[in-house]
Amino acid sequence: MMHLAETLNFSGRKVVAAWASVPFPAVHGYSLPDTLCAYQQDVPWKLLSSCREQKVGCCFAQSVVLRGICKERKQPTSPLHACESTEQILQRYLHTVFPGAFSTSHVLEQPCNTLPPYPQFFSPLLTRQGFVLDKPPTSSSAAVESIPVLAALQSSPVLHTLLYSLYKDLQKLNTQRLASFFSAGVEQDDFQEALQQLRTLSQCYETGAEADESEDEADSD
C-alpha cells in the first residue's frame, strides 16, 4: 500500500484517499459499459477517507481495481461498448471522467466471496452473485454468495481539506499543557516544524479556488 501511494504521488504529495463500491452496482443482465454509461456525471464508488467529497473530474492520479465483472458481447452503442476488453472499458471510462489524470486500472474476473461468516447485510435486490435486480424477487431471496467490488486509491484535491483541517486543529493545541508529551523526547521546535510541514503538504493538493481560500485564511491568521 505504501509503495502504491508513492507511485501515485508527485509534486510533494504523500497521501492518497480511498474509495470503494461494495458491491459494485452492476445491474443483472446489463453489461459493464451499460453500468458505467449511467454514471457519466458521477462515479459508482464512494469516498472512504474522512474528506469532504468534491465534484467528479478532479484527480491527480489514481489506481482502480474492479473484480467480478466480465465483458459481455453486445452491439456497440457507445465508445465504451466498442472496447474489446473489460480493462479497456474501465480505462476509457477513467480517462473520460478524470481527463488529464494519471490512471491505472486492473480487472480481476474472480468476485469477492461473501459466504458465512461474512455478514449478510445486503439488500434483497441483490442476486446470489451480487448483481442488482430491477425489482424485488417474488420468492424469498437467497444469501448473497459473492459480489463484484471496485476499489480505488486517489491522489486528489479532496485531501486538501482533510490535511488543512488537521493542521488547524493541531495549531489550536495549548502545548504548555502537554508537558508529558514533550518530556517523551519531542522538542517544541520539532513540533512546530512538523506542523508547518503538514500545512505545506495540504497545499500540495490545492486547486485554484482552494488556493485562494487558503491565502485568505493565511492573511486572517
Side-chain angles (χ1 to χ4, degrees):
M1 188 73 71
M2 180 181 64
H3 294 309
L4 180 56
E6 290 177 352
T7 302
L8 295 175
N9 282 306
F10 42 85
S11 301
R13 304 182 188 105
K14 300 179 180 180
V15 185
V16 292
W19 305 68
S21 182
V22 183
F24 181 75
V27 179
H28 179 65
Y30 283 62
S31 65
L32 177 60
D34 293 334
T35 301
L36 294 178
C37 283
Y39 288 91
Q40 294 294 324
Q41 302 302 320
D42 198 358
V43 288
W45 56 84
K46 296 296 183 181
L47 183 64
L48 300 183
S49 302
S50 56
C51 313
R52 182 184 64 191
E53 290 196 48
Q54 296 181 348
K55 63 180 182 179
V56 174
C58 207
C59 171
F60 306 120
Q62 62 185 337
S63 177
V64 181
V65 177
L66 174 65
R67 60 182 300 177
I69 300 288
C70 298
K71 176 174 170 53
E72 298 180 16
R73 292 292 178 182
K74 290 188 176 182
Q75 187 68 25
T77 57
S78 72
L80 287 179
H81 289 82
C83 294
E84 296 182 357
S85 66
T86 310
E87 289 86 352
Q88 291 179 0
I89 294 171
L90 183 57
Q91 192 67 26
R92 184 158 192 165
Y93 174 77
L94 294 174
H95 284 309
T96 301
V97 179
F98 301 97
F102 169 73
S103 299
T104 64
S105 60
H106 304 277
V107 175
L108 305 174
E109 293 186 4
Q110 184 69 29
C112 288
N113 293 325
T114 56
L115 296 173
Y118 199 96
Q120 289 294 315
F121 46 59
F122 301 108
S123 165
L125 289 175
L126 289 189
T127 67
R128 289 186 178 182
Q129 291 74 37
F131 293 99
V132 182
L133 295 170
D134 293 329
K135 56 183 179 180
T138 55
S139 59
S140 59
S141 57
V144 178
E145 299 177 352
S146 65
I147 55 172
V149 172
L150 184 143
L153 291 178
Q154 279 190 352
S155 176
S156 168
V158 299
L159 289 160
H160 165 70
T161 303
L162 173 66
L163 296 171
Y164 192 74
S165 297
L166 179 59
Y167 160 76
K168 296 294 287 185
D169 289 342
L170 291 173
Q171 193 181 39
K172 296 175 183 178
L173 286 178
N174 185 350
T175 56
Q176 294 181 351
R177 297 182 178 181
L178 301 176
S180 60
F181 178 72
F182 290 107
S183 65
V186 179
E187 298 291 339
Q188 177 67 32
D189 291 342
D190 294 337
F191 176 77
Q192 291 299 324
E193 181 181 355
L195 198 59
Q196 292 306 314
Q197 289 176 348
L198 180 60
R199 177 173 182 170
T200 301
L201 179 61
S202 73
Q203 293 171 342
C204 293
Y205 292 89
E206 288 179 326
T207 55
E210 291 166 334
D212 294 338
E213 291 178 4
S214 293
E215 289 179 2
D216 294 339
E217 291 180 0
D219 293 340
S220 63
D221 292 343

